[in-house]
Amino acid sequence: MKESNQQEFRLENLTCANCAMKFEKNIQALPKISEVNVNFGASKLRVVGPITVEELEKAGAFDGIKVVPLTSNRIIENTPFYKRKENIITFLSFILLVVGTIISFQTSEADPYAIFFFALSIGIGGYEMFWSGLKNLSRFYFDMKTLMTIAIIGAAIIGEWREGAVVVFLFAVSEALEAYSMTKARQSIRQLMDIAPASAFIRRNDEIMELATEDIVIGDTLLVKPGQKIAMDGEVLTGYSSVNQAPITGESMPVVKMQGDEVFAGTLNEEGALEVRVTKRVEDTTIAKIIHLVEEAQAEKAPSQKFVDQFAKYYTPSIIIIALLVAVIPPLFIGDWQAWIYQGLAVLVVGCPCALVVSTPVAIVTAIGNAAKQGVLIKGGIHLEEMGRLQSIAFDKTGTLTKGFPEVTDISAGATFTENEVIQKVASVESYSGHPLARAIVAYASVQNIVQSPIENFNSVTGKGVNASVDGIEVAIGSLKWAEEITTISDDVKENVEMLQQQGKSVMVVLFNHQYAGHLAVADAIRETSPMIIKKLRELGIKHMVMLTGDHPITAAAIAQMLNLTDVRAGLMPDEKLHAVKKLRSEFGRVAMVGDGMNDAPALAAATVGIAMGGAGTDAALETADVALMADDLEKLPYTIQLSRKALRIIKENIMFALGLKIVALLLIIPGWLTLWIAIFADMGATLLVVLNSMRLMRIQK
């Protein structure tokens, strides 16, 4: 249950994972605050308890964090890189370091003037770090700033002023890199937030006005000109146009919209003018839900991130112990305390877990953001990782592999009639029937621009068919068995009808004046993209694919054959689908279930990853599934699996880079080659590698 005193805020200038943890602790320490959650990936804050923006910004003053209520229209201006306070200080520190270095090369490192400039460089560039590090040290809390503080103070004590100043400067550069990487990773969310316009023209009580989207209410009429973005979710009242839905669904082709069709906020009206009845408030639009779910997904830790966090608990104390042993043990036997204390300090610098801390979140945030832009909503790092490990996929049939509604697939006219004549008269009769098969025939005639004729004496014969008089001809449409009761049907026609029925199609025989005039078949046709998707998934190495359906076994077998699926389980109730998915998990380990998020909900929940189709139009799909394909199509499924696998590989590479470079640097202790310079370069190099490697996920497209 959502608490009444819960507040949510957007954050700017949140530069690093450690800063997020510290900010969270600072807020938690405030009186009357019962719960705090800082979402580092999405740069959001949730607080339960009375608090003001001023109090929050004071708690984040150490990192220059700016805070804005989530409901506020005020946009936080992103401070340019060169104007940020910490970067200006870093540059000033670098200038002082250069001056000190020039003096030391002309005289010596022990020159008082050189030491003065190095000390000034350390003091200005490392002030914030020292302050945090000393406070942490007093509480026996060891993070990267604590390690750096000990190392630099130690370097100054043993006279290594120049190296201490270099370490301060390079550490600041490393921090800037981390901040830059997270800003880049968050851009995908910011682009989503900028999709929908902030205001729109509406008609209310016959008066046209421009209003902010927050002031538009359900029932208002939205006026959308060609070339304008649609500001709110709604239903088309009047007009005909094509709408580019790519920002929401990832579809590459515009979709035709006419009266009664649903449209989404943030989509682009391309051709005609539309009048749209608003059906959702701005905070409930599909794009608003996507943004919220993407941000929540980034707050959820993936298994690899949990591993890194757990590992870091033991890693940092271990580094401190190793550094202490390096500084104390060798000189007890071989002397030269200064050299080995220096090596111990270098170990502390190498041990900074910057790259390790950022290795997983930057990859997760980048991948989830990229997927959202492509019309795929992945609701957490855990689901991203599990998608990359899938062994088996179960598909619902109706509406997933097939279109989900019946349509005319085959027409055969008798020797003395044309197909158009048969359809024209059949559609005229069926327009009076409410049966789904009848609607399919009427829809087919409409697409073919076949004009219906008036009819007389319409009659429905339960379980058999319908008949009526059209243009003076008695027209009957029904089952083969009923037709055989009325007239003689040739063996060729019967053979053709039975063949169509074996393909899972519903066949209707047409009689004109009690004589055979033709027959037509109606079926829930497979989607044009389904065979290609199944082929792609097989090429990606998915070991097993199965179709689970409540449909008749003959129909299911026919569809499976067309899709080249060898495993099909038909006639299943929702609870039986659930048991089928559980059995697949026991056989193959990780299993995805792809369905529509409604009657497939139990099976979606039981699967390792539940994937819902058509999330853009279905609230249930957005809420139920772990992954939602926003378009009503499977086209993005292979892309999602590829992205997940790439993210998994990059996360593993990042962890290897972060730890590998440090291990190499630590091995340099043995010959005594490890210096503070090498130590900080190893740390900064690992951070840079991790950031650049994670950015590769931005380039993965459909």
Side-chain angles (χ1 to χ4, degrees), residues 31 98 150 376 485 690:
V98 170
I150 297 168
V376 179
E485 292 174 9
V690 161

Side-chain angles (χ1 to χ4, degrees), residues 362-388:
V362 72
I364 296 284
V365 170
T366 305
I368 289 176
N370 183 3
K373 286 197 293 182
Q374 294 292 322
V376 179
L377 185 59
I378 302 173
K379 292 166 65 176
I382 185 169
H383 309 306
L384 177 74
E385 291 195 10
E386 293 291 11
M387 279 289 290

Side-chain angles (χ1 to χ4, degrees), residues 20-67:
M21 287 166 59
K22 184 175 178 181
F23 184 43
E24 190 171 272
K25 283 181 181 177
N26 287 352
I27 299 167
Q28 190 71 67
L30 295 171
K32 298 182 182 178
I33 299 299
S34 58
E35 190 181 330
V36 184
N37 177 257
V38 175
N39 182 338
F40 175 54
S43 215
K44 272 178 72 176
L45 165 69
R46 182 172 57 82
V47 182
V48 177
I51 196 164
T52 64
V53 169
E54 290 72 23
E55 287 175 307
L56 290 171
E57 290 192 344
K58 189 176 178 183
F62 68 93
D63 201 33
I65 296 168
K66 299 295 178 188
V67 181

Side-chain angles (χ1 to χ4, degrees), residues 203 221-226 235-243 255-261 263 269 271-277:
R203 185 169 58 236
T221 301
L222 200 65
L223 308 176
V224 191
K225 295 178 182 177
E235 182 183 305
V236 177
L237 290 174
T238 61
Y240 180 95
S241 184
S242 60
V243 174
V255 180
V256 172
K257 298 289 182 180
M258 59 184 78
Q259 185 178 354
D261 287 342
V263 292
N269 179 30
E271 294 172 354
L274 294 175
E275 290 193 5
V276 177
R277 184 178 67 83

Side-chain angles (χ1 to χ4, degrees), residues 8 106 126 166 222 229 232 278 280 310 382 385 431 440-441 480 490 496-497 526 540 546 656 661:
E8 289 187 290
Q106 289 177 345
V166 170
L222 200 65
K229 281 188 175 181
M232 305 287 284
V278 176
K280 293 178 183 175
Q310 197 67 24
I382 185 169
E385 291 195 10
S431 64
I441 295 167
L480 175 64
S490 71
N496 189 250
V497 168
I526 65 170
L540 284 172
V546 56
M656 285 193 296
L661 272 173

Side-chain angles (χ1 to χ4, degrees), residues 351-368:
C352 281
C354 301
L356 193 60
V357 167
V358 84
S359 62
T360 304
V362 72
I364 296 284
V365 170
T366 305
I368 289 176

Side-chain angles (χ1 to χ4, degrees), residues 353-433:
C354 301
L356 193 60
V357 167
V358 84
S359 62
T360 304
V362 72
I364 296 284
V365 170
T366 305
I368 289 176
N370 183 3
K373 286 197 293 182
Q374 294 292 322
V376 179
L377 185 59
I378 302 173
K379 292 166 65 176
I382 185 169
H383 309 306
L384 177 74
E385 291 195 10
E386 293 291 11
M387 279 289 290
R389 298 189 180 106
L390 288 177
Q391 300 293 312
S392 174
I393 301 178
F395 297 94
D396 172 46
K397 179 185 78 71
T398 307
T400 301
L401 294 170
T402 64
K403 293 179 179 177
F405 53 87
E407 60 179 31
V408 175
T409 58
D410 302 86
I411 303 170
S412 180
T416 56
F417 303 101
T418 65
E419 287 184 5
N420 272 16
E421 281 180 289
V422 172
I423 284 292
Q424 193 268 340
K425 289 180 171 53
V426 169
S428 300
V429 176
E430 294 287 22
S431 64
Y432 282 73
S433 171

